[in-house]
Amino acid sequence: MSRVPGLLGRLGAGLTELGARLDERRAEVEKESEGSLDLIDETDDRSPRGSTTTARTDEKPSAPPADAAPEPTPEREPGSDSESEPSAVSAPAAHYTRGPETDTRPDPVLAVPWGVRVAAEAGWRLLVLAGTLWVLMRVISAVQLVVLAFVAALLITALLQPTVARLKRVGFPRGLATALTAILGFVIMGLVGWFVVWQVQENIDNLSNQIQDGIDELRKWLLTSPFHVTDKQINEIAKNLREAIGANTDQITSAGLEGVTVIVEALTGILLTMFSTLFLLYDGKRIWEWTLKLVPAAARPGVAGAGPRAWRTLTAYVRGTVIVALIDAIFIGLGIYFLNVPMAVPLAVFIFLFAFIPLVGAVMSGALAVVVAVVTQGVFTALMTLLVVLAVQQIEGHILQPFILGRAVRVHPLAVVLSVAAGGLVAGIGGAVVAVPLVAVTNTVVGYLRSYSREPALRHAPEPRGATAMDVAPVRPPSP
């Protein structure tokens, strides 16, 4: 037992000496590796541009000089972990002598396919446009009455502005010409509305009696028809209708109370339309010049050129629609008058008003005339009324509209139907009325701006040469 302390002391001294030698060897290896890295850097600097230098890894290390004394090898003590010494020594050397690794992964931007990148770029722009349109529609719905009144004023101004221009050319002052035209236009529209209301009130009693007689005739026809409808089934249908009306009495009453609000809003809209029309007729040019100042200077020339063309399109649409609606009302009204359909004149006025809703308005007004004919005069008169309506509408669609409107207003029927449906969903009847002229004006503006954007490219294009230059060169007229 007395030898154990001495053995432990020698073992500790040996381990201390071994650790010191390992530190010395590690320092020598680090110096050698730093020297090799400096040599590689100098070789890279001296190599020509575009070439690459690789370190030789198969080169054997230089032998030590002959006169150098061999390093003493430490004695291995039993139980020592000197077998792990080579790995500990070679790890730093391997770390410093290995060349830099090249990252072969592609750029993330280049890794995305071109189609996906284009779709993403277009997608976020479409989202921005959709958000802008949504905000705009929310604002318009909040001030719907004001917007519809102003759009109606634009339509009326497009109809009355040529009259103001004629009066000014004759010699009337601008204010007097505007006042006379506006007063005359609104008086005519008021008289038309009053005439329709007066005709309906005068014929409402007679119409109700005729409707009751028509319902009785329809009931008799159903009883004798091949559909095998019994009197009991007809009574059950009438009973269900009465119960539905009784169950919805509260809703009908609330709708009647809301009708007062609708009347107030209608009067407000009419007043706004009248004042807007008056000022647009009197000072429309200055209002347009002020609006141009709100446009950025870079886009102002294009907008200034698109404005007059859009106004000409709107004027042509309104005047052409008024002429076509008047012809429809006259001929259909004469047809139902000779067929002894009651309220022929009010129905003709309704046909004139509904003609401002393209395609859809003609169907609705024609259906109204046929319904009145079938409940008052019978099935045969209703069929004759349907033939009259279809004949006039076919003449309108294939002859009158192409001849009167011409190329000034050319909108595809699918665009007409979709715009009328969208306008009706957004703003009701008023939206359906203004949808088609809005689409026509937008089509004109977009077409002009597209052609205007091509002009700078044509102006800055290189001049043609050779035979092409001879082809496009202007030909001078022959001298006399």
Side-chain angles (χ1 to χ4, degrees):
M1 295 295 296
S2 60
R3 296 180 180 180
V4 173
L7 182 62
L8 293 176
R10 289 194 297 272
L11 181 61
L15 292 175
T16 302
E17 184 178 1
L18 179 62
R21 291 182 178 180
L22 287 175
D23 293 339
E24 293 176 359
R25 181 59 180 167
R26 187 177 293 108
E28 292 176 359
V29 170
E30 289 179 356
K31 290 180 180 180
E32 291 177 359
S33 62
E34 291 177 357
S36 62
L37 291 176
D38 294 339
L39 182 61
I40 291 173
D41 294 339
E42 292 177 359
T43 307
D44 292 338
D45 295 338
R46 294 175 183 177
S47 62
R49 186 174 299 175
S51 63
T52 56
T53 305
T54 57
R56 295 181 181 178
T57 57
D58 58 345
E59 204 172 64
K60 296 182 180 180
S62 58
D67 56 350
E71 294 182 358
T73 304
E75 297 180 0
R76 297 181 179 178
E77 298 292 339
S80 64
D81 54 349
S82 61
E83 293 179 0
S84 62
E85 178 183 351
S87 62
V89 174
S90 60
H95 173 71
Y96 285 104
T97 57
R98 185 172 57 189
E101 295 181 357
T102 303
D103 192 1
T104 58
R105 291 178 298 179
D107 189 1
V109 177
L110 300 178
V112 180
W114 176 255
V116 177
R117 293 172 62 186
V118 172
E121 293 285 341
W124 73 262
R125 287 177 171 84
L126 290 176
L127 288 176
V128 171
L129 290 177
T132 305
L133 289 176
W134 182 81
V135 173
L136 182 61
M137 294 304 297
R138 296 284 294 181
V139 173
I140 291 176
S141 62
V143 291
Q144 180 178 346
L145 179 63
V146 178
V147 173
L148 289 179
F150 182 73
V151 174
L154 283 176
L155 296 177
I156 298 173
T157 304
L159 180 62
L160 301 179
Q161 193 268 337
T163 305
V164 176
R166 291 191 188 96
L167 292 177
K168 289 170 63 177
R169 284 197 298 267
V170 170
F172 283 86
R174 184 176 62 174
L176 183 59
T178 302
L180 289 176
T181 305
I183 293 173
L184 182 62
F186 286 116
V187 165
I188 292 175
M189 287 185 281
L191 288 176
V192 171
W194 169 80
F195 180 77
V196 171
V197 174
W198 173 63
Q199 286 290 317
V200 172
Q201 289 179 352
E202 287 291 327
N203 296 276
I204 190 67
D205 296 332
N206 187 22
L207 181 63
S208 62
N209 295 330
Q210 290 180 347
I211 289 175
Q212 185 63 40
D213 295 339
I215 292 174
D216 293 338
E217 292 180 2
L218 181 62
R219 181 174 181 174
K220 293 178 182 179
W221 181 79
L222 289 174
L223 291 174
T224 59
S225 66
F227 297 106
H228 303 290
V229 179
T230 62
D231 195 6
K232 182 179 179 181
Q233 293 175 343
I234 295 175
N235 293 332
E236 289 180 357
I237 294 173
K239 181 180 178 182
N240 293 332
L241 289 175
R242 286 193 299 268
E243 289 178 356
I245 293 173
N248 297 322
T249 303
D250 296 336
Q251 296 181 1
I252 295 173
T253 305
S254 61
L257 293 176
E258 290 178 357
V260 179
T261 305
V262 172
I263 292 174
V264 174
E265 291 181 353
L267 293 176
T268 305
I270 291 172
L271 292 176
L272 285 175
T273 303
M274 292 175 63
F275 280 105
S276 301
T277 304
L278 185 64
F279 285 106
L280 287 174
L281 288 173
Y282 179 76
D283 217 6
K285 184 177 180 181
R286 292 179 57 187
I287 293 173
W288 170 245
E289 292 175 352
W290 176 83
T291 305
L292 283 178
K293 295 179 181 179
L294 302 178
V295 181
R300 195 172 298 165
V303 177
R309 289 167 175 80
W311 182 251
R312 285 196 293 268
T313 300
L314 183 62
T315 303
Y317 173 82
V318 173
R319 286 188 291 180
T321 304
V322 168
I323 296 173
V324 172
L326 187 61
I327 294 174
D328 285 352
I330 291 173
F331 283 97
I332 295 178
L334 289 175
I336 60 178
Y337 175 77
F338 287 115
L339 290 173
N340 293 325
V341 178
M343 292 197 309
V345 178
L347 286 175
V349 175
F350 278 115
I351 291 170
F352 173 79
L353 296 177
F354 277 100
F356 285 91
I357 306 176
L359 297 181
V360 180
V363 174
M364 294 173 62
S365 60
L368 179 61
V370 172
V371 168
V372 173
V374 75
V375 298
T376 57
Q377 299 296 325
V379 179
F380 178 76
T381 305
L383 291 177
M384 297 303 295
T385 304
L386 180 61
L387 290 177
V388 171
V389 171
L390 291 178
V392 174
Q393 289 180 357
Q394 290 299 316
I395 294 173
E396 169 204 337
H398 293 87
I399 299 176
L400 294 179
Q401 284 189 353
F403 178 74
I404 296 175
L405 297 179
R407 299 179 60 89
V409 181
R410 177 168 291 183
V411 183
H412 196 275
L414 179 60
V416 172
V417 173
L418 294 178
S419 60
V420 170
L425 291 175
V426 173
I429 297 177
V433 171
V434 303
V436 177
L438 180 62
V439 171
V441 169
T442 303
N443 186 28
T444 301
V445 171
V446 171
Y448 173 78
L449 291 179
R450 186 187 298 115
S451 61
Y452 179 80
S453 62
R454 293 174 183 172
E455 291 180 0
L458 295 176
R459 287 196 297 265
H460 296 291
E463 296 182 357
R465 298 178 180 178
T468 307
M470 295 298 295
D471 293 337
V472 301
V475 179
R476 295 182 180 179
S479 58

